[in-house]
Every structure is written in structure tokens, then in C-alpha cells.
Amino acid sequence: MERPAIIRKTAADLRVPPNLADYAATRAAFSWAAVQAELAGLPGGGLNIAHEAVERHAQGARRDHVAFRFLGRNALQDVSYGELSRLTNRFANILRSLGVGKGERLFVLCGRIPELYIAVLGSFKNGTVVSPLFSAFGPEPIATRLNLGEGAVLVTTDLLYARKVAKIRGELPTLRHVLLVGEDGQPTEIPGTLDLRRLMAEASDSFDIVPTTAEDLSLLHFTSGTTGTPKGAMHVHAAVATHWATGKYALDLHPQDIYWCTADPGWVTGTSYGIIAPLLHGVTSIVDEADFDAERWYRILAEQKVSVWYTAPTAIRMLMKAGAEIARKHAYPHLRFIASVGEPLNPEAVWWGKEVLGLPIHDNWWQTETGGIMIANTPAFDIKPGSMGRPLPGIEAAIVKRDAEGKRPCVSEEANAREAGVMPELKVSPVDTADTEGELALKAGWPSMLRGYLHNEERYRKCFAGDWYLSGDLAKRDADGYFWFVGRADDVIKSAGHLIGPFEVESALMEHPAVAEAGVIGKPDEMVGEVVKAFVSLKKGFEASDTLRQELLGHARKKLGAAVAPKEIDFLPTLPRTRSGKIMRRLLKARELGLPEGDTSTLESS
Ligand code: ATP
Ligand code: MG
């Protein structure tokens, strides 16, 4: 079906006045200093995320407003801002009584249970740095991260501890305390651990937040591991300004919203936007403990009256795969805004939202390193399906090219240069012409920018060229200032003199009614450098066959032209993905070529 290139918004699309109504004027008037003034700051000076997210509301008019509605496996639990303040105070007191100080690291390894949220916010109050892990991680990724981050405390459940941590406890020399939550609600008595619920019951519920400064560390977040070994990105309390501004402009949060971020806190989205940003705006957040299930998700959207929904392309593709009939069992009169992050959002998915849920999906772009949303489609923007939107107020984004003389040296040259003490400086120049591909860069200095990669100063340094932070993603900007994702620098395919972004090929394949998802790689070829190869999984009701393969090859050639269309297509039941839901093209490639798979610690086991 041919669809228009732009989804134009009218007043009828905006059920509440948008926070970002006039893009140019808001950008022009914006300053981070003004955002700072919106924040309370600690009473005696300094800045602390938990104070902004919890205390401000607990001591004000929203103290009885529901902060979190936890949809547990067996029960529903509402926690107000006032209660959240007392619970997080108790947790902070536990840390203090255990002698865990400011700057020490606490790891959380649990499902989306209330204790996870309490531990994260309570740690901020104590000045303790939090590192969230996916509860599905096996012993090895847990040990690697805990040791790399010198974890002093681990919060987990009795079952996860028994299954994954007990056997590696001897390999975790920095770990002093393990706080366990009994999954059956009963006290736990495992040697070498403490029962968190008992400690919570005994702790005092008043606590004075440890004075933290804007530049004190708050979070250590590992990247998704899509392109290689995950990197530990270090963030500071100052990041709260970005969370506030993006919660306002990109997610358009309003005080009466019921907001649902489907991401797990093991992924940065689940922390920045599953915990911090909604609390800053005093809204009610839905937290679902269960894993993805299409029927359940539609029920939650309808029954919980979700008004703002933040999810990911992988989830949307799974909903599309499950078919529209399930969605149509419910009505969603409260839903007014849907946003997505994590991977390129195929135009097909944007339109699916409009056709099935009555609202287009608004793509936005950011990274673990950026700490918050940088480029977005907001409610008032016309959407160009396939574009990730425009830079938010306070963010300057550009497409840059590396200057010839400032070209990043190859590894051996770099080693020599370093030895000689003459590291050449990397230089880049912004590209002014529209629709030109280059590296997506951000003017350094926004508040939530990473402050380093843990134990990897070298890699951190390589993220910057002069004033610019280099994202490692390739993109282009059109004449209207919209940014278009092309591919990760590592994933771009070079075929017969063309540079081909996998996203374009994947999106074209997804327009075929049989295709649920597609992952595209370059396969080395003597004649043309690389040939485009696609891996495809099919929607319910379609069978893999040679006929279908030919049909898809033909469909892609028609859409993309022979130079860009895939030459080969393989069918897979599902594509390998990270725990944050990203297609792992490097794994498709390694498997295709029989090469080592590299770091698979974040691979979701299917
Ligand atoms: P690693 O750095 O370990 O390889 P990762 O880059 O996937 O993993 P994240 O920080 O979770 O780790 O993801 C950020 C990346 O996700 C971006 O650099 C980009 O490639 C991709 N991404 C995020 N949002 C979008 C989007 N809206 N469109 C296209 N790509 C996106
Ligand atoms: Mg990355």
C-alpha cells in the first residue's frame, strides 16, 4: 500500500496542549541553566536524583499520588510518592548501617519487583552508585560486570542467588553484602546473605540525603552489547536535568498521565525512563513484572488507562507479528502518545500504530552514553515515518565527516603515535548540505553525557573530536532538520561502490505482508566487496518456501533497485537479539561466515 511520506498533525491529534508546541521558539529560548532552576537542589546545596524524583513530591501536594503501580505476578501494589520516600529512606538507612558509603557500587539483579525500584532510589539517597543488571543474565555476565564495577552490594532474590550467584560468590572479592528478597514472600535464611524485607521492616524511615554534587556518580550502565563487548558508561547526578527536560518535551508528560515504559531497568531506558523521568514529573508509572505477552500488554494498556506509552521496535514488531485482532479486543480511549526507542523504527511500524491503535508511533534516538533522549518525534511534530525526528531543545546534533588530516589512525599507527607522545587529534567537520550521509554527532556538554567508560579511558577519548561527541551511528539530515538513521558505522554494507544501510533494506522487506522482522548483513564477495544478505522471520500464518523467497527478492528489487536489494534471503524462526531487544547483526554475520561469535553475554536466549 502506498502511503503519504508525512503524517500531518492537526489540533485533533493533540488531546492535551503539548509541552513542545513551538519547536523553533522553545529551542531558541532554552537553556540548561533554566532547567537547573526548575530543579529543587538539595537543601544545603548539591544535587541528588532521588531528591528531585521522590522527595520534592513527597513533601508537596503529590504526596498521596500513586508513583508506581506494580503489576506483580499475583497482586497489584500501588506505592504513593509519600510511601516511596519512606521506603527509600529505609533502604538508604540499611546501606548506612552496613557501612556502605558514598561512591561505592551497588548492583541490582532482579525482575521488575518493587524492591528493585526502592533499592535504586535508596542508593541515590545514600550517594551509592547503582548498576542494574538483567535478571536473566547467567553467572558469567554477572561476575564480569560485578568485578569490573567493584560491586560492594548486590540486591537480588533468593532464587536468583541460588541459581546464579552462590556458585560464583568466591569469585567476587569486592562483594561485601548480598541483600535477598524471598520470591515466595517468606523470610530467607541463606548463609552469607541478609534478608532485605526484615532489614526494611527494622530500618528507620527517616533519612537525610547524603550531600551529592551534580558531578558525583549516580549510575553505571552497561551498553547493550549489540556491536561488541558491553561498555560501562558512567553517569552523574547532573543527568537529572536531561531526564526532566526530555520527560517534558520528548515524552510530553503531564501531571495526570498514566505512563508505561515497557523497558527493563537492566537497559538504560528502563532506568532513565522507567524510573527517573516519570517520577520527576510526578506521574503514575505502570510497572509490569511479567514478560512480553501480546494479549496481556493490550489488556494493560486498556485496563490501566495508559495515556503515554514508551516502548521499543522489537516489542512493536512482536505485536505486529501476533496480529491486529488481539489489539481490537480492547479500546484505548486514554492512550494519547506512543514513543519508541532502541532500534530504527520501520515506517511499517509507525503506520501499524496509526491503523491498529489509532496513533502513530513516535520514534526517538539516544544511547546509553547520552543518558537521555536526544533526537525525537514529539506529539506536535508532523511525522516522517522512518525518521527519528529532530534534536530536542538543548541538544545540537550534526552530521559530521572526519577531516582527511584528522582521520582516526589505525590501531598500529596509533600505538606508535602514542609511544612517540604525538597522538594526532581527531578532527571532524559538520556537513551542511541536506541528505548527506555521515556520522551522527552531538555538541558535547548536555547534562547526562557520559563522564567516562569504566576502566576504558582510551575508548572514551575516542568518542570525542573537538567539541563533538561521536555516536558511531551513520545518519543524514533532511532540509527540514529531520534526522534519518542509516545504520551503525560497523553495520554499513559496501557493495559495488555503494554504501548500503541495513535499515533501508530491512524496512523495505518489512513492507511485505509475510515479513515480521528482517536483519541484513554484508557478506564478503570477491567481485563486489560485499553482497547484501537478509535474514527474515515470518508473521503468523506464513510458511517459509522457495516461492516466498523469490517473491521477497522480487519485492525488494522493485522497492530498492538491483544494486541495493538483497541477493540472498534466509528464513529464521526468530532473529538473535540482545536482552534490550536489538537485532544482533554481528551474530548473524559471524554465524553466516563461521566466525567466532564474540561476546554473547547480552544475547537473549530464545
Ligand atoms: P553496544 O554499544 O554495546 O554495541 P548498543 O549501542 O546497542 O550496544 P545502547 O546504548 O542500548 O547499546 O543502544 C544505542 C544504539 O541503539 C544507538 O547507537 C543506535 O545504534 C541504536 N538506536 C537507538 N535508538 C534508535 C533509533 N530510534 N533509531 C535507530 N537506532 C537507534
Ligand atoms: Mg553503542
Side-chain angles (χ1 to χ4, degrees):
M1 197 197 323
E2 282 310 316
R3 288 155 164 157
I6 301 189
I7 300 178
R8 298 228 180 256
K9 300 279 184 64
T10 66
D13 293 308
L14 303 170
R15 295 201 216 139
V16 295
N19 289 332
L20 185 52
D22 184 334
Y23 179 67
T26 310
R27 265 181 79 79
F30 184 92
S31 78
W32 285 111
V35 173
Q36 224 70 51
E38 294 278 349
L39 302 171
L42 284 174
L47 188 67
N48 187 286
I49 295 174
H51 182 77
E52 305 301 328
V54 184
E55 291 318 297
R56 246 174 354 126
H57 304 303
Q59 290 160 21
R62 294 183 88 71
R63 79 173 62 87
D64 297 323
H65 195 73
V66 175
F68 285 119
R69 167 164 286 189
F70 293 103
L71 308 180
R73 289 191 194 277
N74 307 312
L76 179 154
Q77 187 186 345
D78 282 344
V79 176
S80 70
Y81 279 90
E83 286 167 303
L84 191 61
S85 161
R86 292 187 288 278
L87 290 165
T88 50
N89 281 349
R90 284 176 189 265
F91 190 86
N93 275 314
I94 295 173
L95 292 183
R96 180 176 283 173
S97 69
L98 293 173
V100 177
K102 185 172 156 182
E104 291 203 85
R105 277 78 183 259
L106 173 140
F107 282 69
V108 283
L109 174 79
C110 29
R112 290 177 293 278
I113 56 174
E115 286 79 0
L116 184 161
Y117 296 77
I118 294 163
V120 170
L121 294 160
S123 296
F124 292 155
K125 286 186 168 178
N126 192 50
T128 303
V129 182
V130 180
S131 188
L133 301 173
F134 281 103
S135 60
F137 273 159
E140 205 180 306
I142 296 170
T144 313
R145 286 162 180 72
L146 239 142
N147 284 333
L148 200 65
E150 296 162 77
V153 186
L154 174 67
V155 176
T156 184
T157 70
D158 52 350
L159 299 186
L160 289 171
Y161 182 79
R163 280 216 317 270
K164 304 175 176 203
V165 185
K167 61 186 119 174
I168 53 162
R169 182 80 190 259
E171 300 159 33
L172 307 170
T174 60
L175 187 62
R176 303 203 302 275
H177 306 286
V178 175
L179 307 179
L180 293 187
V181 181
E183 287 200 19
D184 58 1
Q186 300 302 312
T188 66
E189 282 180 30
I190 301 181
T193 72
L194 297 163
D195 180 16
L196 179 57
R197 290 208 182 97
R198 184 178 62 76
L199 296 177
M200 286 288 284
E202 290 165 0
S204 154
D205 62 11
S206 52
F207 185 86
D208 287 329
I209 292 183
V210 168
T212 43
T213 68
E215 286 305 308
D216 279 332
L217 288 184
S218 56
L219 278 159
L220 166 64
H221 238 301
F222 288 89
T223 59
S224 289
T226 314
T227 55
T229 303
K231 305 167 280 281
M234 298 194 283
H235 288 287
V236 294
H237 283 270
V240 73
T242 306
H243 298 143
W244 187 90
T246 51
K248 176 169 176 176
Y249 294 126
L251 299 177
D252 195 45
L253 293 175
H254 285 62
Q256 293 314 317
D257 275 321
I258 308 278
Y259 164 81
W260 184 23
C261 169
T262 60
D264 187 272
W267 178 34
V268 69
T269 306
T271 310
S272 293
Y273 296 100
I275 306 181
I276 301 168
L279 294 179
L280 293 173
H281 290 277
V283 305
T284 297
S285 270
I286 303 294
V287 176
D288 181 30
E289 192 187 341
D291 290 333
F292 174 85
D293 173 83
E295 300 241 9
R296 180 181 167 86
W297 276 33
Y298 288 126
R299 191 152 30 81
I300 292 174
L301 284 173
E303 284 178 1
Q304 297 303 328
K305 304 186 168 66
V306 172
S307 56
V308 176
W309 188 34
Y310 195 22
T311 187
T314 182
I316 295 163
R317 288 194 301 263
M318 284 196 279
L319 291 173
M320 291 166 74
K321 198 170 177 175
E325 310 77 55
I326 320 178
R328 299 209 165 104
K329 286 187 193 158
H330 302 275
Y332 313 94
H334 299 274
L335 196 58
R336 67 170 180 87
F337 182 61
I338 310 177
S340 156
V341 71
E343 280 189 297
L345 185 67
N346 314 89
E348 196 59 25
V350 177
W351 284 105
W352 171 87
K354 189 147 176 64
E355 285 154 10
V356 176
L357 296 173
L359 297 166
I361 320 267
H362 295 72
D363 188 20
N364 62 52
W365 177 93
W366 59 291
Q367 310 179 298
T368 308
E369 290 86 343
T370 70
I373 305 169
M374 299 283 110
I375 296 178
N377 287 287
T378 76
F381 285 12
D382 292 338
I383 298 181
K384 302 188 184 189
S387 158
M388 41 204 200
R390 291 181 283 178
L392 287 171
I395 301 301
E396 195 181 330
I399 301 300
V400 302
K401 293 269 189 214
R402 291 173 184 211
D403 294 353
E405 70 274 22
K407 224 169 150 208
R408 189 169 282 175
C410 73
V411 178
S412 58
E413 279 169 359
E414 191 175 314
N416 292 339
R418 204 175 322 111
E419 213 160 276
V422 287
M423 259 310 273
E425 202 191 319
L426 176 62
K427 293 205 189 82
V428 298
S429 326
V431 179
D432 289 326
T433 40
D435 302 319
T436 308
E437 278 177 29
E439 187 162 0
L440 174 57
L442 303 166
K443 188 61 79 64
W446 69 96
S448 63
M449 188 176 85
L450 84 164
R451 299 300 196 266
Y453 286 127
L454 187 67
H455 303 317
N456 202 344
E457 179 59 29
E458 186 87 21
R459 181 70 185 76
Y460 174 65
R461 219 167 28 78
K462 284 190 178 162
C463 293
F464 297 92
D467 287 348
W468 294 101
Y469 163 80
L470 305 174
S471 70
D473 285 346
L474 300 183
K476 47 192 180 180
R477 183 184 49 205
D478 69 17
D480 299 326
Y482 281 67
F483 281 73
W484 298 75
F485 183 80
V486 172
R488 294 170 182 260
D490 296 2
D491 287 340
V492 168
I493 301 161
K494 295 166 200 79
S495 185
H498 297 275
L499 277 185
I500 302 170
F503 174 46
E504 186 187 5
V505 182
E506 290 159 8
S507 289
L509 285 166
M510 293 242 340
E511 282 173 34
H512 189 281
V515 177
E517 51 185 355
V520 166
I521 62 160
K523 192 175 157 184
D525 178 271
E526 278 189 14
M527 288 294 291
V528 293
E530 286 182 306
V531 291
V532 178
K533 167 147 195 178
F535 297 85
V536 158
S537 84
L538 298 175
K539 284 199 190 130
K540 243 171 65 179
F542 291 91
E543 291 274 336
S545 70
D546 254 340
T547 320
L548 181 57
R549 189 192 322 269
Q550 292 312 323
E551 191 180 317
L552 290 178
L553 288 169
H555 163 88
R557 249 194 322 274
K558 209 168 100 210
K559 292 265 165 198
L560 299 164
V564 177
K567 300 281 180 297
E568 292 177 31
I569 294 181
D570 276 3
F571 295 106
L572 292 176
T574 54
L575 302 182
R577 63 183 77 249
T578 64
R579 297 208 174 277
S580 49
K582 296 160 195 263
I583 297 172
M584 286 172 101
R585 292 178 193 79
R586 71 173 162 100
L587 218 59
L588 287 170
K589 193 160 180 170
R591 288 174 181 173
E592 173 71 21
L593 305 178
L595 297 171
E597 294 196 346
D599 189 308
T600 53
S601 61
T602 60
L603 175 66
E604 186 179 76
S605 38
S606 44

